[in-house]
Structures are given as structure tokens and as C-alpha cells.
Amino acid sequence: MSSTWSPAPAGTGRRPARPGLPAWVRDPKVWRTEVLAGLVVGLALIPEAISFSVIAGVDPAVGLFASFLMAVTISVVGGRRAMVSAATGAVALVIAPLNREHGFGYLIAGVILAGVFQIVLGLLGVARLMRFVPRSVMVGFVNSLAILVFLAQVPELHDVPWAVYPLMLSGLAMLVFFPRLTTVVPAPLVTVVILTVITVAAGIAVPTVGDRGELPSALPVPGLPDVPLTLDTLTTVAPYSFAMALVGLMESLMTAKLVDDITDTRSSKTRESVGQGIANIVTGLFGGMGGCAVIGQTMINVKVSGARTRLSTFLAGVFVLVLCVAAGPVVSEIPMAALVAVMVMVSITAFDWHSVAPRTLRRMPPGETMVMVITVVCVVVTHNLAVGVVVGSITAMVVFARRVAHLVDVTAAVRPEDGQVVYRVAGELFFASSNELVTQFDYQGDPEDVVIDLSAAHIWDASSVAALDAVETKYARHGKRVTVVGLNEPSARIHERLAGRLPSP
């Protein structure tokens, strides 16, 4: 009879691991890091969830339940370990008009349908589009996110008691200097605890988490949205749901890619896309407002607290519910100045300062810098990360096309003994570069036999084939013959399939 356990080798003093268990399960240090990181993230999620509830026009409990359910569900079904999903401002902005114009039931129906759209898009391979997001857009995404996180804290410092400012500055000082003493306990948690104790013990009247809205006192209950199951309902909800699905996937996949870079690990973007859909369906069925990856709290989890497993994400969601339901009165006393200090530090550490250093800007191609700036401006102006990424990516493609279009080189070599001229074309032939190709030949002065050598070129599209057809047509008008040689296999296939079959411009 076989056994799944065997004695440890002599001298080790430890039992061998059970098969199937990851190594971190047996490491107390990892557990400590993950638990404390989850607690810090949970604390940071509460005020933001309440704020996003206000944006969406729903009760604070709706945003808090969404943060709890999104984090817990995505920790199981998501494709990126240690990434945090919860209620977000981008999703709240998209879904708010649906709630305002049609009511809460339609909002919940919209969240569930958005989850279905995300699952379908994930299975169709939308995650593969991430390969077309260039580095300059990623840098712009990170920098704009850091700016948005910082700007979101500015209202918390406007028209507030003077005591808020020294509290916030003290919090920043603790966040900077405490890690130099020890990293056993996360600095954000220490900051929140110390500032809360100070304000409560000294009776300092400053804005607190409780001032943002009433915390829930009971667990969420599952149920279906109170809407008629008709085609009219579907056509009303679908546009909002599709927009929410796209915005949520864009932010989640960009955040996943960022965490991949920070942790030097890979994640399944397809699984993450499907997981986001599942999480939104679950959230909607429990009356939550939906959400996606939250990069600010993810940075607290991964970069500040050092979490690396799904446990921290799961516990972040659990702590949101426990802190609200079981410890609501205590959490309500947390001064907003403490959380503002944490988020300001997140914005400072998240910003890619190297990207704006004078030395970097001098070396970087102007087009790359322009793409980064456009991405940042679009995100900051619209407060929508997805808009910035799309506009930045399109700009990067235009810059690339213009750059490559000028790399096509045409040289002529006349062979009097053969009575022919050979044009050697080098570069990438596509719609932007092939337009200039027609002007590179001497149609009137060349001999009767013309050879176009494309061994150093590549044909990418129909525009290039049409340009070659135009060259042949112009030579034919002068009674001259053109021979195209040197085509590589892909270029030969597209040329053979389209040559002579395209309409004249």
C-alpha cells in the first residue's frame, strides 16, 4: 500500500512537503507579508469604494460589497497573482448614467451583462491585443495613473481643519523612514494605526472614514436584478455593459502587465480577462456595482507591502467585509489624512521618474516622448485610463508608420551590355511607404527592359501591390517591359494573388 507521505531524510529535522502544495504555504514569513499586505489594502479600499459609490449614485454598501466580492473572486479565478480588483472610478463613471436614468436594477443587470461580455471577449483572445501596446504607452499609463492617484487626494486637503496637514506630513515621514528601521510590518499599516491612535486619544477633530458614508452592518444577499427580462431591457443595458467591459479589461490587462514587470513573472491574460467577467457576474448577483483591477491598491500590495500570492488579494477582500461589518466603529475613526498620506506615497513611488529625467529625454526619440505625453494628457483630462491607452497606441502606430515609410531605398544600376536597368528596392513596403515608390523610377529615360529587385524588401499589403502595378502600367505606356524578381515567399504569395487584379486609383 503506497503512501503520499514519507519520513524526512535524516538530519533535516523537517517533514517533506505534501505534493501539490506551493512552497509559500510552508513559509511563515510569506504568510506574515501576505496577511499584513491584505490588511493594508483592505483599509485603503474602504474610503475609495465609498467615493466610487457616490460617483455611481448608489449607497456606500454597494461599492464596499463590490470591492469585497471582486477581490475574493478574482483571487481564485484571476490570471495575475497579487493583483487587486475592486470597485473603481472608471467603472463607476461608465455605469453611473445607467443608474441615474433607469434605476438601480438596471445598474445591476448592466454589471452582470458586462461580466458576460468580458468572458466572451476573453475567450475570443482580446488579451492578445496587449502585444500592440508599446513601451512608451505603458510608461504614459503608469505616469498618468500616478498623477490621477495624487489628484484624487487633493480634495481631501481642501477646506479641512489645519490639523489635517501636520497629520498627513507626519504620515509621509513615517512611510519614508519606518522601512529603514524594519520591514517586518508594512509602513502603511503602522502609519494608519499610529495616526488613528493620535487623533482618537487627543480628540483631534479631522475628517474620518466614517464621514464618507455609513458602513454596512450585514452580509450581502444574492439575488437577481429587479428588471423585466425583455429585449428592450437588453438594448437599454447592452451599450453601457459593453463600455464597462472594455474599460474594465483595458485597466485590468494593463495593470497585470505592469505587475508582471515589477515581479519578473508572467501571468495569463486570457484567464485574467475571463476571471474579470466571472468576478463581475458574482458581484452583480450580490448587488455590487462591479469593478476591475485597481492599480493604486495593487501597487500598495505588490510594490509597497511586497505581496506575491493570491492570499493577499483574497484577504484584502475579506478584510474589507470584516472591517466594515465587525469593526465598523473602529474603522470609522481612521483619519482620512492617514489614507491620503499612503496614497500620495503610492503616487510618488509609482511615477516613472526616470522617464522625465533630462538625460532620458535627450536620448529618447522625440516620437516616443510625444506618445508618452499624449497618453498622460488624455488620461488626466478624461480621467479614463482606457482612453489614454487607445489614443496613445494609435499615436504610436502613426509615428511608427511615418518613421518606417522613409526607410524605403531605391537604387538604380544600368547594364548597357544587357540593355536593361536594375532597380534594387530595400525596406518595408506598406500603405505609407509604397505611395512614394511610384515616383522613384525614370519611366521616360530607362531602357526597354526594366528589372525591379525586391530581394531586400517585403510586401505587406495591397497598397504595395497596387503601387507595383502602377509602375508596370507607366512603363507599359512607354513601350517598356518590367520584371519583378527577388520576392520572398510571403511577398510572392500576396503579389501573385493580387497583381493585376486591383482597380486603378
Side-chain angles (χ1 to χ4, degrees):
M1 179 176 178
S2 63
S3 172
T4 58
W5 179 89
S6 58
T12 62
R14 291 188 303 174
R15 291 183 179 180
R18 290 186 178 181
L21 288 177
W24 66 264
V25 173
R26 306 180 303 278
D27 191 339
K29 292 182 180 179
V30 174
W31 275 86
R32 182 182 62 224
T33 299
E34 300 294 314
V35 172
L36 294 176
L39 179 57
V40 173
V41 172
L43 287 169
L45 282 173
I46 292 173
E48 288 208 352
I50 297 174
S51 299
F52 300 148
S53 299
V54 174
I55 293 174
V58 297
D59 292 335
V62 176
L64 291 167
F65 287 157
S67 294
F68 155 62
L69 291 163
M70 286 293 298
V72 168
T73 306
I74 206 68
S75 70
V76 178
V77 300
R80 171 67 257 176
R81 296 190 301 274
M83 190 170 78
V84 181
S85 291
T88 61
V91 168
L93 288 170
V94 172
I95 213 75
L98 185 59
N99 179 60
R100 185 171 56 249
E101 297 171 14
H102 301 281
F104 182 68
Y106 281 83
L107 181 146
I108 297 302
V111 171
I112 295 173
L113 184 58
V116 174
F117 280 141
Q118 287 178 329
I119 292 175
V120 173
L121 290 171
L123 294 176
L124 290 176
V126 69
R128 297 191 189 98
L129 295 177
M130 290 303 298
R131 72 181 68 178
F132 297 106
V133 178
R135 181 187 177 278
S136 53
V137 175
M138 273 297 298
V139 173
F141 169 80
V142 173
N143 290 347
S144 60
L145 170 75
I147 294 171
L148 284 184
V149 170
F150 179 82
L151 292 178
Q153 313 313 309
V154 173
E156 304 295 339
L157 302 174
H158 177 68
D159 195 20
V160 293
W162 68 269
V164 169
Y165 302 106
L167 283 172
M168 194 268 291
L169 293 175
S170 300
L172 286 174
M174 282 187 275
L175 290 166
V176 172
F177 294 109
F178 186 80
R180 301 183 183 181
L181 300 177
T182 179
T183 57
V184 172
V185 182
L189 180 59
V190 174
T191 302
V192 169
V193 171
I194 291 179
L195 293 185
T196 303
V197 170
I198 290 174
T199 55
V200 172
I204 302 174
V206 292
T208 64
V209 170
D211 296 331
R212 305 300 293 272
E214 185 179 351
L215 301 181
S217 57
L219 299 177
V221 178
L224 295 175
D226 184 18
V227 295
L229 300 178
T230 63
L231 182 60
D232 184 57
T233 300
L234 179 62
T235 55
T236 300
V237 169
Y240 298 96
S241 297
F242 192 67
M244 175 183 165
L246 291 178
V247 169
L249 283 182
M250 181 74 72
E251 291 204 23
S252 299
L253 294 176
M254 291 292 289
T255 304
K257 187 174 181 181
L258 178 61
V259 177
D260 288 353
D261 294 338
I262 292 173
T263 61
D264 263 342
T265 57
R266 296 182 63 184
S267 60
S268 172
K269 305 302 186 297
T270 298
R271 178 176 172 179
E272 184 61 37
S273 302
V274 174
Q276 288 291 327
I278 295 172
N280 274 304
I281 291 175
V282 172
T283 302
L285 291 175
F286 278 86
M289 58 181 279
C292 62
V294 280
I295 192 162
Q297 279 71 14
T298 296
M299 289 299 99
I300 294 175
N301 198 43
V302 175
K303 202 167 186 178
V304 179
S305 300
R308 291 294 182 271
T309 75
R310 297 179 185 273
L311 180 63
S312 58
T313 306
F314 176 83
L315 290 178
V318 171
F319 281 133
V320 168
L321 188 65
V322 171
L323 291 169
C324 291
V325 176
V330 176
V331 174
S332 296
E333 296 298 327
I334 296 175
M336 287 301 301
L339 297 175
V340 168
V342 172
M343 298 309 293
V344 168
M345 182 57 65
V346 168
S347 68
I348 293 172
T349 56
F351 195 90
D352 187 350
W353 297 101
H354 175 73
S355 66
V356 296
R359 181 182 300 178
T360 303
L361 295 175
R362 284 195 299 268
R363 295 179 177 177
M364 191 69 65
E368 300 280 326
T369 302
M370 182 180 70
V371 169
M372 181 192 71
V373 171
I374 288 175
T375 302
V376 171
V377 170
C378 286
V379 172
V380 173
V381 169
T382 64
H383 281 230
N384 191 324
L385 293 167
V387 170
V389 171
V390 171
V391 174
S393 297
I394 293 174
T395 304
M397 292 176 187
V398 173
V399 171
F400 174 76
R402 286 177 57 85
R403 185 184 304 160
V404 175
H406 298 292
L407 296 181
V408 175
D409 184 48
V410 180
T411 57
V414 180
R415 296 177 178 176
E417 67 279 6
D418 298 330
Q420 66 176 204
V421 59
V422 178
Y423 284 93
R424 290 184 172 84
V425 181
E428 307 299 321
L429 297 178
F430 65 112
F431 63 89
S433 61
S434 58
N435 290 331
E436 298 181 3
L437 182 66
V438 183
T439 64
Q440 304 295 312
F441 300 87
D442 184 3
Y443 300 101
Q444 208 165 17
D446 283 341
E448 294 185 359
D449 193 6
V450 178
V451 177
I452 301 178
D453 183 3
L454 297 177
S455 56
H458 188 100
I459 297 176
W460 287 103
D461 59 7
S463 297
S464 304
V465 178
L468 291 172
D469 284 350
V471 171
E472 292 188 44
T473 300
K474 287 179 178 290
Y475 273 117
R477 289 174 185 166
H478 292 84
K480 300 173 184 180
R481 184 178 68 257
V482 175
T483 304
V484 178
V485 300
L487 291 168
N488 58 34
E489 187 176 343
S491 299
R493 282 200 303 267
I494 190 172
H495 186 265
E496 182 180 355
R497 187 167 65 249
L498 298 179
R501 297 178 175 83
L502 297 172
S504 301

